[in-house]
Amino acid sequence: MTADGEPAELTERIAQAVAGVPGVAFLRPGLAGLLRSSVAARATGRRVNPEESRAKSAVRVGQGSAPGTLAIEVSVVLRRGHRAVDVTREIRAAVRRTVPAEAENRPPARVTITITGLV
C-alpha cells in the first residue's frame, strides 16, 4: 500500500497504463492472485465484477524493501508475435511514467512483471 492512502487509485492508473502497452492482451493474475482476490471479496461480503477484480488483482502495489520505496507487481497475458523482453521493458517504462519517483521525492519503484499466458 502507498503511504498516502491512495493505493486503489494508483493501482487503477497502473492497470490502465499497462493495458495500453502494445503486445499486452490483458491483465491477468496467476493462481495466487485469483485466490487472493476471491478471499478478499468473501471477507468484505461485496459482489464484484469478475473482470474488474481480475484486472485489479493483476497489479499489486506495496512497500519496497527500502524505506519510502514502492514494490509494484504486474501480471499480464501477452499477444503472440511480440517479444516478451520488449513488451516487459515497455510495461516497466509505462509503470515508471505513471509513478514518477521524482515527483514524490522517493527512489524509483521496483517493478516486477509476470507473464501468465500467451494468446
Side-chain angles (χ1 to χ4, degrees), residues 33-51:
L34 290 172
L35 292 173
R36 230 183 343 266
S37 65
S38 175
V39 169
R42 286 188 185 140
T44 60
R46 295 185 308 187
R47 292 191 50 88
V48 294
N49 177 347
E51 285 301 314

Side-chain angles (χ1 to χ4, degrees), residues 96 99-109:
R96 291 213 168 115
V99 185
E102 313 80 51
E104 300 179 21
N105 294 323
R106 65 174 160 221

